[in-house]
Amino acid sequence: MAIRNIVKKGDDVLRKKSKEVKEINDKIRDLFEDMKETMYGCGNGIGLAAPQVGILKRMIVIDVGEGLMEIINPVILEQEGEQLEVEGCLSIPGVYGEVKRPERIVVEYTNLDGERVKVEGRDLLARCLSHEIDHLDGILFTDKVVRYVELEEEKE
Ligand code: NI
C-alpha cells in the first residue's frame, strides 16, 4: 500500500468523467487502501475521489469524523435545501471559497461487499458527498465558488 501523488488543478485528468466500476476485485480493494492512506496522510482531508490520484474510476473515500466510507458508483437520489460554506480541495492547495451545496443529500452506492446501500448526509457530509461526486464528473469546487476567502494555512 502506498500514499499516491495527488493530481493538482490544471491536469486534464481532473476534468474527465470517471467510469463505473464493473467488478470489485483486488485492484479495486488496493486502490481504496491507497486512497485511504493518501487522504489520511494529508491530515486535513475529509474526502478523496479516484481521479485525484489519476484513476478515472467512480470511487470515493470520505471521513468527516464519523468513520470511513468507501463509495463505489454513487448516484444522488435526493437533494434538498441549501448551505453556503467555505470549502477547499486537496487538488487545489491553498485555495478556499464559499460554495452552495444541498443541505441534505441521499446517495445510493455500492459498498466493498458489492451491496447497493443508501446514505443520508446533512451539513458537512452532504457537502462532502456533493463535492466528491462532482470530481467523478470532472467538476471542481472552483467552478461553483461564490466568493473566494483567505484562510490562514495551518503550519506544522
Ligand atoms: Ni476536491
Side-chain angles (χ1 to χ4, degrees), residues 13 26 33 43 48-49 62 64-65 70 72 75 85 88 94 109-110 117 120 122 127 135 144 149:
V13 78
D26 283 346
E33 287 301 314
L48 187 74
I62 285 178
V64 295
E70 291 159 307
I72 300 168
V75 174
E85 296 289 342
Y109 66 95
T110 302
V117 293
E120 180 189 46
R122 290 175 184 272
R127 192 158 81 241
H135 272 300
K144 296 183 164 180
V149 297

Side-chain angles (χ1 to χ4, degrees), residues 48-146:
L48 187 74
Q52 293 183 275
V53 292
I55 310 283
L56 288 168
K57 288 187 191 299
R58 304 188 80 82
M59 294 168 59
I60 291 167
V61 290
I62 285 178
D63 188 345
V64 295
E66 299 164 12
L68 177 77
M69 296 171 63
E70 291 159 307
I71 294 171
I72 300 168
N73 300 340
V75 174
I76 296 172
L77 297 181
E78 292 174 41
Q79 44 188 333
E80 63 178 5
E82 198 176 277
Q83 53 171 319
L84 183 66
E85 296 289 342
V86 174
E87 58 189 72
C89 179
L90 295 173
S91 293
I92 316 171
V95 176
Y96 302 94
E98 289 177 335
V99 181
K100 265 185 206 164
R101 300 278 181 193
E103 196 278 322
R104 173 183 169 270
I105 191 171
V106 178
V107 172
E108 186 183 70
Y109 66 95
T110 302
N111 66 19
L112 267 174
D113 295 323
E115 304 157 337
R116 286 300 274 179
V117 293
K118 279 182 199 170
V119 60
E120 180 189 46
R122 290 175 184 272
D123 305 315
L124 180 59
L125 181 56
R127 192 158 81 241
C128 191
L129 284 163
S130 172
H131 176 121
E132 300 308 332
I133 291 170
D134 273 354
H135 272 300
L136 305 182
D137 294 317
I139 299 164
L140 301 175
F141 87 88
T142 47
D143 300 340
K144 296 183 164 180
V145 79
V146 174

Side-chain angles (χ1 to χ4, degrees), residues 14-29:
L14 290 177
R15 291 308 193 173
K16 296 199 167 132
K17 208 170 151 66
S18 291
K19 294 204 170 65
E20 298 254 317
V21 175
K22 295 254 159 54
E23 184 199 355
I24 300 167
N25 51 29
D26 283 346
K27 221 176 140 185
I28 295 298
R29 280 184 278 269

Side-chain angles (χ1 to χ4, degrees), residues 1-4 27-41 48 53 61:
M1 299 309 107
I3 290 182
R4 301 210 184 187
K27 221 176 140 185
I28 295 298
R29 280 184 278 269
D30 287 351
L31 178 56
F32 267 132
E33 287 301 314
D34 286 1
M35 286 170 65
K36 224 157 59 180
E37 265 195 58
T38 305
M39 175 178 73
Y40 289 132
L48 187 74
V53 292
V61 290

